[in-house]
Amino acid sequence: MEPIQLRFKDDGKIPNSPLPLLIYKNVFSEEKADPDFITQHFADRNWSNSWNNGVYDYHHYHSNTHEVMGIYSGYATLQFGGEDGEKITLEEGDAIAIPAGVAHKKIEASYDFGVIGAYPDGMEYDIMKGEENERPQADENISKVPLPEFDPIYGKLEGLTSLWK
């Protein structure tokens, strides 16, 4: 099943990306919506340096890496693309691939919201907030982020490996 694609333009503060944000609905079944399973699933596809936590409640983006998140419990409404971006509700079993430069922020979440995040090739991530002094360095960083070799959900031959060309 092909992921939902959303694109966000540079708003002057947040660079966003020409690459689409990818939403994978219900890709982890209930028995697989487990933090250890999702962490290993991502790692098997070369997305590591994982974390198990929430999502920041302020707009931020990473200028040096892409990010994937897999929801293992509850739900959350996240806003992507900055202040004028789109609000998306993600639920247990969903995943989302966020291109470098695309802002994300938690708007609300259930009490049991649980999410695993990871990065291609285990990249260390920076945190940018759309502040004046970040650009043009952030733009330069984003331009150097390589495309991942593997889709974090489907592996080598599907998903972002074909959609992010």
Coordinates of all heavy atoms in Angstrom, one line a residue, residues 15-19 61-66 99-101 126 135-147:
P15 N 12.2 25.8 6.3 CA 12.5 25.5 4.9 C 11.6 24.4 4.3 O 11.3 24.5 3.1 CB 13.9 25.0 5.0 CG 14.2 24.6 6.4 CD 13.2 25.4 7.3
N16 N 11.1 23.5 5.1 CA 10.4 22.3 4.6 C 11.2 21.6 3.5 O 12.4 21.6 3.6 CB 9.0 22.8 4.2 CG 8.1 23.0 5.5 OD1 8.0 22.2 6.3 ND2 7.6 24.2 5.6
S17 N 10.5 21.0 2.6 CA 11.3 20.2 1.6 C 10.5 20.0 0.3 O 9.2 19.9 0.4 CB 11.5 18.8 2.3 OG 12.2 17.9 1.4
P18 N 11.2 19.8 -0.8 CA 10.5 19.4 -2.0 C 10.1 17.9 -1.9 O 9.2 17.5 -2.7 CB 11.5 19.7 -3.1 CG 12.8 19.7 -2.5 CD 12.6 20.2 -1.1
L19 N 10.7 17.2 -1.0 CA 10.4 15.7 -0.9 C 9.1 15.7 -0.1 O 8.8 16.4 0.8 CB 11.5 15.0 -0.1 CG 12.8 15.0 -0.7 CD1 13.8 14.3 0.3 CD2 12.8 14.2 -2.0
Y61 N 12.5 21.2 13.3 CA 12.8 20.3 12.2 C 14.3 20.0 12.3 O 15.0 20.5 13.2 CB 12.6 21.0 10.8 CG 13.4 22.3 10.6 CD1 14.6 22.2 9.9 CD2 13.1 23.5 11.0 CE1 15.4 23.3 9.6 CE2 13.8 24.6 10.8 CZ 15.0 24.5 10.1 OH 15.8 25.6 9.8
H62 N 14.7 19.0 11.5 CA 16.1 18.5 11.5 C 16.7 18.9 10.2 O 16.1 18.6 9.1 CB 16.2 17.0 11.8 CG 15.3 16.6 13.0 ND1 15.6 17.0 14.2 CD2 14.2 15.9 13.0 CE1 14.7 16.5 15.1 NE2 13.8 15.9 14.4
S63 N 17.8 19.6 10.2 CA 18.5 20.1 9.0 C 19.5 19.1 8.5 O 20.0 19.2 7.4 CB 19.1 21.4 9.2 OG 20.3 21.3 9.9
N64 N 19.8 18.1 9.3 CA 20.9 17.2 8.9 C 20.5 15.7 8.7 O 21.3 14.8 8.4 CB 22.0 17.2 9.9 CG 21.6 16.8 11.3 OD1 20.4 16.7 11.6 ND2 22.6 16.5 12.2
T65 N 19.2 15.4 8.8 CA 18.7 14.0 8.7 C 17.2 14.0 8.5 O 16.5 14.9 8.9 CB 19.1 13.2 9.9 OG1 18.8 11.8 9.6 CG2 18.4 13.6 11.1
H66 N 16.8 12.9 7.8 CA 15.4 12.6 7.8 C 15.0 11.9 9.1 O 15.9 11.5 9.8 CB 15.1 11.7 6.6 CG 15.6 12.2 5.3 ND1 15.2 13.4 4.7 CD2 16.6 11.7 4.5 CE1 15.9 13.6 3.6 NE2 16.8 12.6 3.4
P99 N 10.9 14.2 5.8 CA 12.1 14.7 5.2 C 12.8 15.7 6.0 O 12.2 16.5 6.7 CB 11.6 15.3 3.8 CG 10.2 14.8 3.6 CD 9.7 14.5 5.0
A100 N 14.1 15.8 5.9 CA 14.9 16.9 6.5 C 14.3 18.2 6.1 O 14.0 18.4 5.0 CB 16.4 16.8 6.1
G101 N 14.2 19.1 7.1 CA 13.6 20.4 6.9 C 12.2 20.6 7.1 O 11.7 21.7 7.2
D126 N 20.0 17.2 14.6 CA 20.0 18.6 15.2 C 18.5 19.0 15.4 O 17.6 18.3 15.0 CB 20.8 19.6 14.4 CG 20.2 19.8 13.0 OD1 19.1 19.2 12.7 OD2 20.8 20.4 12.2
R135 N 19.3 30.1 9.2 CA 19.5 30.0 7.8 C 20.5 31.0 7.3 O 20.6 32.0 7.9 CB 18.1 30.2 7.1 CG 17.2 29.0 7.5 CD 15.8 29.2 7.0 NE 15.7 28.8 5.6 CZ 14.5 28.8 4.9 NH1 13.4 29.2 5.5 NH2 14.5 28.5 3.7
P136 N 21.3 30.8 6.3 CA 21.2 29.8 5.3 C 22.0 28.5 5.7 O 21.9 27.5 4.9 CB 21.9 30.4 4.1 CG 22.9 31.4 4.7 CD 22.3 31.9 6.0
Q137 N 22.6 28.4 6.9 CA 23.3 27.1 7.2 C 22.3 25.9 7.2 O 22.7 24.9 6.7 CB 23.9 27.3 8.6 CG 24.8 26.1 9.0 CD 26.0 25.8 8.0 OE1 26.8 26.7 7.8 NE2 26.0 24.6 7.5
A138 N 21.1 26.1 7.7 CA 20.2 25.0 7.7 C 19.9 24.6 6.2 O 19.8 23.4 5.9 CB 18.9 25.4 8.4
D139 N 19.7 25.5 5.3 CA 19.5 25.2 3.9 C 20.6 24.4 3.3 O 20.4 23.4 2.6 CB 19.2 26.5 3.1 CG 18.0 27.2 3.5 OD1 17.0 26.6 4.0 OD2 18.0 28.4 3.4
E140 N 21.8 24.8 3.7 CA 23.0 24.1 3.2 C 23.0 22.7 3.7 O 23.3 21.7 3.0 CB 24.3 24.9 3.5 CG 25.5 24.2 3.0 CD 26.8 25.0 3.3 OE1 26.7 26.2 3.5 OE2 27.8 24.4 3.3
N141 N 22.8 22.5 5.0 CA 22.7 21.2 5.6 C 21.7 20.3 4.9 O 22.0 19.2 4.6 CB 22.4 21.3 7.1 CG 23.5 22.0 7.9 OD1 24.6 22.2 7.5 ND2 23.1 22.3 9.2
I142 N 20.5 20.8 4.7 CA 19.4 20.0 4.1 C 19.8 19.6 2.7 O 19.6 18.4 2.3 CB 18.1 20.8 4.1 CG1 17.6 21.0 5.5 CG2 17.1 20.2 3.2 CD1 16.5 22.1 5.6
S143 N 20.5 20.4 2.0 CA 20.9 20.1 0.6 C 21.9 19.0 0.6 O 22.0 18.3 -0.5 CB 21.5 21.3 -0.1 OG 22.8 21.6 0.4
K144 N 22.6 18.7 1.7 CA 23.6 17.6 1.7 C 23.1 16.3 2.3 O 23.8 15.4 2.4 CB 24.8 18.1 2.5 CG 25.5 19.3 1.9 CD 26.7 19.8 2.8 CE 27.4 20.9 2.1 NZ 28.4 21.5 3.0
V145 N 21.8 16.3 2.8 CA 21.3 15.1 3.4 C 21.1 14.1 2.3 O 20.3 14.3 1.4 CB 20.0 15.4 4.2 CG1 19.4 14.1 4.7 CG2 20.3 16.3 5.3
P146 N 21.7 12.9 2.4 CA 21.5 11.9 1.3 C 20.2 11.2 1.4 O 19.5 11.2 2.5 CB 22.6 10.9 1.6 CG 22.9 11.0 3.1 CD 22.6 12.5 3.4
L147 N 19.7 10.7 0.3 CA 18.5 9.9 0.3 C 18.8 8.6 1.0 O 19.8 8.0 0.7 CB 18.0 9.7 -1.1 CG 17.5 11.0 -1.9 CD1 17.1 10.6 -3.3 CD2 16.4 11.6 -1.1

